[in-house]
Amino acid sequence: MFEAWVTVLISGLAMGAIYALVAGGLNLTWGVMNVVNMAHGVFLMLGAYITFMAWSYWGINPLFTIFLSFPILFALGALINRFLVRRTVGLASMLLTFGIFMVIENLAVVGFGGMYRSVRFFTGSYDIMGVFVSKPRIIAAGIAVAMSLLTYWFLKKTKIGVAIRAISLDRMMAEQCGVNTNQICTITFGIGAAQPAVAGSLMSLIFAFNPMLGRVFLVKAFAIVVLGGMGNFLGALIGGLTIGLVEAVIAFSGNLHLSEAAGFIIIILILLLRPSGIMGRRQ
Amino acid sequence: MLEANGLRICYGAVPAVHDVTFKVQEGQIVSIIGANGAGKTTLLKAIAGVQRISAGRISFLGEKLDGLPANQIVTKGISHVPEGRHIFSELSVKENLLIGAYTVKDASEVEKKLRSVYKTFPILEERSAQRGGTLSGGEQQMLAIARGLMSGPRLLMLDEPSLGIMPTVVRQIFDIVKKLRSQGTTVLLVEQNVKKGLEIADKAYVLQTGRCVLEGTGDELLRSDMVRKHYLGL
Amino acid sequence: MRSRIIPIILLTLFVLGTIVFGASCETKEPIVFGGALPLTGWGADGGEYNRRGYMVWEDMVNAAGGILGRPVKVIIYDDKSDPTVTTRLYEKLVTQDKVDFLLSPWTDDMVMAATTVGEKYGKTIVAGGATYPAIWERGYKYVTGLLPNSKDYLGVGIRFFSGLKTVALLNLDLTFTTGFADAAEWNFPREGMTLVLPRQTYTGDTTDLTAPLMKIKAKNPDFIVACTGGAEDATMILRQAKEIGLNPKAWWFTIAPVIPEYIEVLGEDAEYTLGCSEWEPELPDTIEDFSIRAAFNQRHREMFGGEDPVEDAATTFGVGQIMQLAIEKVGELDDEKINEALHELDTSTVFGYYRVDEAGKQKGKVMYVIQVQNGVRETLWPFKAATSVLRFPTPPWDKRD
Ligand SMILES: Nc1ncnc2c1ncn2[C@@H]1O[C@H](COP(=O)(O)OP(=O)(O)O)[C@@H](O)[C@H]1O
Ligand SMILES: [Mg+2]
């Protein structure tokens, strides 16, 4: 029973780490730029297809494909911001990104077809004294955590990172300090698209996916950003791990329906008790 | 060094500043005084590039300023320390200062600036790792000024630096402003605290409901009947 | 001004063209068949395959001289994967378009909605892509079906393994897969099987099945029936079962094993898994009469870029065939008589046998037990159609090479 519990909890944490990476990107576009980015899920889906194609056509090791999905989606995200999102605010930007989501998803259906794909590279598990640790999930989770921490370091320690955080707090003041906020927001949007793309690359190792892949994760990512506190970059990681863990505990002691509701119940509670998120500071 | 001619600034269709003309000479402290709502903040925002002007012209060192995006104004040598301080509350004191030096490319230059503002405001060095939002009002005002100095401006614009701050700290801040002048930084100061604003000024303008109604040296205005009656309550 | 004149000219030309062209070509009024399919929304894939079946049928019937000497016209609307839209569209088809016959929508929810309209106007619907038993258990007079209902569909697999004693049930939480799981639970006691723990339900949003699979593992059942909706959830189940070493003697999946990408996505992890197929493009004629299937396959490839037809196209083509046979048997367009004929027919289509009970439930269709062996779907049963024999028991994951 003990081994079973540990197996379930590790699996939950691994899933949480991947949620966190998806949420991290959203935290940038939502928390910094205040754009409710409905297109977030398609960046993830495109990342998964980049990995799938690089692996199936050119036999590239899927772990190396994150060096493709990151820059490609960074560029796409930056272009989308530069030529579309930047021109809108509020509800208009939400509708616009919803439109982008529809267009890209439908193009993907036409281009890739609706059938399921998967990268069969790591399967099976490590059996550590009766605890089963899924190979694809733990490898994906490790990379996801590394990626989240790298982004955190970038935001904390680099000049552009500090500028991004400044913009998230007071865009007008950042501009008056000499920050070209339009340009930095374009970079931010690029990273905000590249992060879920890496998550998507990792998911292609775990799931059978089709162009609808991103949909499931969008709602969870929004929930995690709320949980971790908007604009709080470590909060997204901790929020993601928390959701993954709580889902696993409830799935094992209760059932999956409860477990999926649980994430949202926590979020409602947090919003009532600590509106700024678990990591956020009280206003 | 700064010249504003016939400025007219509107919020929507409503003008907040009508036909204002003034000059700031290099090496001076120039004060703009006036009651709440007179249009002082609006004027500084226009110079800083965050508020569009609908008529007139702003030039700095002979170069046209209006129409430039706000992030370019800093590179021209103007720093804006806005009303309400606008500290980046979740950033550390040091990060706030580093953002102030965003336009400075040379890392050693940034380091030098940092040492210099820490010398001027020793309290900020003590608090350098603390989040900006945790500072007291006076400390935040110092941080805002220090951040403004990090870009090495030739003209520093201060909007109500004494607002909501303990008198001892106000005195400290005004001393620093004087020191800045002696070090060659020109200061454009907006104050509701008319007495303080005029005492320190080499030149001053009185703004009333968006119009410039009086100008002169600080001493002249302190002695003028109009100022004594309306603003000093004498 | 220009912008308005051009459409008017075009419209005039179009109307004139239709009159002139129509008058010269179509001497006889067509018999109109109407229906709605999910051409957009979640059901769009299945909807498109269904549409293709109807299109090929319309084309082939007309090429062969139509029905009762009259050409056939098929109208298909988009129900946007929403059953409330289905209701509205079928009302419109009957009252405004005044179609002669209704065609089947896809799937259960839409068929439930459409048959309610059909019942109201006395227009029989031969359900094409639906298995939910309630469709035929509401006492409706004007509905039959081409597919076996889910109790029979699950029954095949459970009867096949009737020696096994303990079973666990996984259930994707969608209407049709839950229908399968209900049908499985209905069948278990009839074959002497005991469910060792309550059915484990997961949703389309589930990303981790470790918890339910560990619970099942603790009970170590002989048999696992997974009411999956497709390759996506079946992949997650099998991969995670492999990870935790869940080893029943046999795995039975609904839907997934007949989906082409199932084997491609899972690779060797799909080996030994079983499922039920209602239709395979290359089944031999030994069991059911597939006489015109070669022609159907051929015409489908011609019309749709060389693609082979899938089951969902064969069903709608079969619906068309059944309607045609009934009309030809009656010899006139009388709804009542045609309804009777549809209930009495005992025949075969490209999809297979058609014979329904009084309620309209399909009883004649043969189902094929299939198992993945060496990366191919092999037919195990009926024995007359078998291409291989059962591989049993499924070896544990760590004992496979
Ligand atoms: N964002 C704004 N929108 C509309 N009106 C404004 C705005 N900011 C200031 N005003 C108006 O412009 C006038 C001048 O304001 P302000 O420049 O802030 O004055 P001061 O700084 O002298 O107190 C006031 O009447 C004020 O109500
Ligand atoms: Mg003001």
Side-chain angles (χ1 to χ4, degrees), chain A residues 7-243:
Chain A
T7 299
V8 169
L9 294 184
I10 289 177
S11 192
L13 278 175
M15 208 57 236
I18 295 163
Y19 292 161
L21 188 56
V22 181
L26 198 66
N27 204 3
L28 285 171
T29 46
W30 192 20
V32 175
M33 300 174 60
N34 218 357
V35 174
V36 178
N37 182 13
M38 304 300 287
H40 200 65
V42 298
F43 299 148
L44 189 159
M45 175 272 289
L46 291 175
Y49 274 99
I50 287 170
T51 297
F52 174 77
M53 291 196 300
W55 169 75
S56 63
Y57 294 140
W58 300 302
I60 298 177
N61 181 321
L63 295 185
F64 292 141
T65 61
I66 61 177
F67 297 106
L68 288 173
S69 52
F70 190 97
I72 293 174
L73 267 292
F74 178 89
L76 181 69
L79 288 173
I80 286 176
N81 182 66
R82 175 69 183 72
F83 293 104
L84 297 168
V85 175
R86 203 172 102 183
R87 294 160 202 274
T88 60
V89 285
L91 185 63
S93 67
M94 189 166 151
L95 291 174
L96 174 71
T97 54
F98 187 73
I100 294 170
F101 152 73
M102 296 285 280
V103 169
I104 295 183
E105 190 178 283
N106 281 300
L107 285 178
V109 170
V110 174
F112 305 132
M115 65 284 264
Y116 285 94
R117 308 285 197 189
S118 190
V119 174
R120 220 174 332 109
F121 198 74
F122 308 102
T123 60
S125 59
Y126 304 104
D127 179 349
I128 305 163
M129 294 181 296
V131 172
F132 300 102
V133 180
S134 159
K135 280 184 201 169
R137 284 173 192 251
I138 203 70
I139 291 168
I143 295 173
V145 169
M147 186 74 212
S148 291
L149 291 176
L150 195 68
T151 311
Y152 182 67
W153 172 87
F154 171 80
L155 290 167
K156 268 295 202 208
K157 294 295 173 200
T158 66
K159 187 167 175 176
I160 293 175
V162 177
I164 289 172
R165 283 156 59 220
I167 290 171
S168 81
L169 296 165
D170 191 336
R171 179 166 180 168
M172 204 52 123
M173 193 61 230
E175 177 83 17
Q176 290 181 70
C177 287
V179 179
N180 184 339
T181 55
N182 276 332
Q183 191 185 32
I184 298 292
C185 280
T186 294
I187 294 173
T188 307
F189 208 91
I191 303 172
Q195 263 194 321
V198 170
S201 285
L202 298 172
M203 283 180 200
S204 73
L205 294 164
I206 299 175
F207 302 114
F209 63 91
N210 72 359
M212 263 67 118
L213 173 68
R215 294 184 174 194
V216 172
F217 297 91
L218 184 65
V219 181
K220 273 188 183 141
F222 274 109
I224 288 164
V225 173
V226 170
L227 181 63
M230 247 218 302
N232 186 319
F233 303 100
L234 214 47
L237 179 58
I238 292 169
L241 293 174
T242 307
I243 297 257

Side-chain angles (χ1 to χ4, degrees), chain C residues 12-153:
Chain C
T12 316
L13 283 176
F14 178 75
V15 170
L16 283 174
T18 316
I19 294 168
V20 174
F21 192 72
S24 64
C25 270
E26 311 245 309
T27 43
K28 284 203 178 123
E29 274 281 292
I31 304 178
V32 183
F33 292 76
L37 289 168
L39 300 177
T40 56
W42 62 261
D45 285 353
E48 171 58 18
Y49 294 135
N50 273 256
R51 192 187 67 84
R52 290 179 179 185
Y54 286 135
M55 293 299 112
V56 177
W57 174 72
E58 180 188 34
D59 178 85
M60 285 175 67
V61 170
N62 285 334
I67 300 176
L68 306 180
R70 288 170 61 182
V72 163
K73 187 179 158 210
V74 171
I75 302 173
I76 299 292
Y77 291 125
D78 178 13
D79 63 30
K80 304 183 165 60
S81 304
D82 177 353
T84 60
V85 176
T86 303
T87 303
R88 216 166 54 225
L89 290 175
Y90 276 77
E91 283 282 350
K92 174 173 149 52
L93 283 164
V94 176
T95 58
Q96 289 176 36
D97 302 332
K98 303 211 183 324
V99 297
D100 298 299
F101 298 101
L102 292 175
L103 294 172
S104 173
W106 191 80
T107 78
D108 290 325
D109 293 339
M110 280 64 142
V111 169
M112 287 290 273
T115 48
T116 302
V117 179
E119 188 73 13
K120 183 163 123 193
Y121 295 104
K123 292 217 173 280
T124 313
I125 292 178
V126 180
T131 62
Y132 191 41
I135 291 168
W136 302 276
E137 289 169 2
R138 292 173 296 175
Y140 280 15
K141 199 176 150 203
Y142 298 96
V143 56
T144 73
L146 215 61
L147 265 59
N149 72 82
S150 53
K151 282 177 187 164
D152 290 347
Y153 173 67

Side-chain angles (χ1 to χ4, degrees), chain A residues 159 165 170 175-176 281, chain B residues 71 80 86 90 95 102:
Chain A
K159 187 167 175 176
R165 283 156 59 220
D170 191 336
E175 177 83 17
Q176 290 181 70
R281 296 180 173 87
Chain B
N71 70 69
H80 183 208
H86 288 259
E90 299 287 321
E95 287 169 337
Y102 190 80

